[in-house]
Amino acid sequence: MRVQMLGLCRFSYLGLRGYQKDHSSIEERRAFLYDPDRLARRWQWFTTLALPGWLAQTDPDFTLVVMTGPDLPQPYLSGLQALSRVNPWLRLELVPPMDRHLEACLAAIAPHVDPQADVVGHFRHDDDDAVALDYVATARRDFAAVQALWQAEGRLSLDHSRGLMLRAGAGGADFVPRIAHNMGVALTIFLRPDAEKTALHFNHTRLPMWMPCVSVTRPLMFIRSIHADSDSGDMGPGLPWEIAPDALDRQLSRRFGLDRAVLDDLAKAVSRKDSAGRSC
């Protein structure tokens, strides 16, 4: 069975809906999203935390569509264009402002759906989160074990729910181990190629209403960052699990290709930039 892994990452996309923070006009939304200090922080999160895992996936057969507006300020637009030129798995879609956010997301994803695939594994990825280096390979493997559930309805969610919550502050990065079901990151929604939907068409907190849901609690699969710019600034429900500090450092390196000291520096840097413009 041919499984296409296809994800969507919104990088400061300019649209009126699809975010928890409301704005009364497109001009107000543009001023918020394109604030120079905010964009600098988002770029740091994207390049330091999110990007390394995608660059080093053990299974390179996937597509991550980065969706932004055609008027994204420089140097961020040229930076995304440069990344898409050298990484065949990264596709840049410049979507003009659209009132209906799900239609905008579908406009970004639809050109990249492989009609020859038997099933498409849709996933969403925020620009300030990270997935493990074997996320794509593991999602494919685990789907193969439960594909009969998908066959029944043409819909199935596969939730790799063991993760780390990264809370950023002036003192650095604080990690809280959590098993958090249907968090959104490392969550794959398997649909037929003709479904004309993306992962964002399904509220990840209410997935059992629409499809069978399988939760896989090992191995460690995601990092979700929580900081002043987060669209949702809390950890949400979940179960704690324990990890020793030295084991945490090893897991950051082995599972995500990340260095603890670099993440501490990132957390401090974005906190300084944020506090310079407004109180955290």
Side-chain angles (χ1 to χ4, degrees), residues 131-189:
V131 293
L133 306 180
D134 60 351
Y135 161 66
V136 171
T138 304
R140 272 209 175 91
R141 181 199 67 201
D142 291 346
F143 173 75
V146 297
Q147 69 181 33
L149 290 173
W150 173 82
Q151 293 278 8
E153 298 187 28
R155 293 178 176 181
L156 173 75
S157 72
L158 186 60
D159 175 31
H160 289 93
S161 54
R162 183 175 295 260
L164 297 167
M165 305 298 180
L166 188 168
R167 294 190 296 204
D174 177 41
F175 291 90
V176 181
R178 301 273 282 189
I179 295 175
H181 296 298
N182 296 335
M183 180 57 61
V185 60
L187 172 68
T188 316
I189 296 176

Side-chain angles (χ1 to χ4, degrees), residues 45 166-174 226-228 263-272 280:
W45 281 114
L166 188 168
R167 294 190 296 204
D174 177 41
I226 302 171
H227 49 87
L263 297 180
D264 275 330
D265 289 343
L266 169 65
K268 293 174 185 176
V270 296
S271 296
R272 284 195 301 270
C280 291

Side-chain angles (χ1 to χ4, degrees), residues 56-257:
Q57 283 294 302
T58 59
D59 181 348
D61 183 14
F62 70 97
T63 298
L64 180 65
V65 177
V66 177
M67 169 187 175
T68 192
D71 63 343
L72 181 72
Q74 299 291 1
Y76 308 107
L77 180 56
S78 60
L80 290 173
Q81 290 169 331
L83 286 170
S84 67
R85 284 195 295 269
V86 299
N87 296 291
W89 51 265
L90 192 155
R91 310 289 174 83
L92 181 61
E93 286 289 340
L94 305 181
V95 181
M98 296 175 64
D99 183 55
R100 297 189 178 277
H101 191 71
L102 294 181
E103 291 181 6
C105 292
L106 186 58
I109 282 290
H112 305 281
V113 173
D114 180 2
Q116 302 304 314
D118 297 296
V119 56
V120 180
H122 290 272
F123 58 92
R124 59 190 291 172
H125 190 78
D126 288 348
D127 58 15
D128 54 356
D129 293 339
V131 293
L133 306 180
D134 60 351
Y135 161 66
V136 171
T138 304
R140 272 209 175 91
R141 181 199 67 201
D142 291 346
F143 173 75
V146 297
Q147 69 181 33
L149 290 173
W150 173 82
Q151 293 278 8
E153 298 187 28
R155 293 178 176 181
L156 173 75
S157 72
L158 186 60
D159 175 31
H160 289 93
S161 54
R162 183 175 295 260
L164 297 167
M165 305 298 180
L166 188 168
R167 294 190 296 204
D174 177 41
F175 291 90
V176 181
R178 301 273 282 189
I179 295 175
H181 296 298
N182 296 335
M183 180 57 61
V185 60
L187 172 68
T188 316
I189 296 176
F190 294 89
L191 303 172
R192 294 190 174 97
D194 59 356
E196 296 187 348
K197 293 185 184 297
T198 73
L200 278 87
H201 279 78
F202 302 93
N203 183 328
H204 60 89
T205 67
R206 304 174 69 188
L207 280 174
M209 294 181 63
W210 300 297
M211 65 189 73
C213 303
V214 177
S215 179
V216 183
T217 59
R218 285 184 173 81
L220 173 60
M221 194 61 75
F222 72 84
I223 299 173
R224 178 173 178 257
S225 68
I226 302 171
H227 49 87
D229 284 322
S230 297
D231 196 40
S232 177
D234 59 64
M235 286 192 292
L239 301 172
W241 58 279
E242 299 291 332
I243 186 170
D246 58 339
L248 172 61
D249 292 350
R250 289 195 298 272
Q251 289 291 289
L252 288 173
S253 175
R254 293 174 183 174
R255 297 293 300 151
F256 302 97

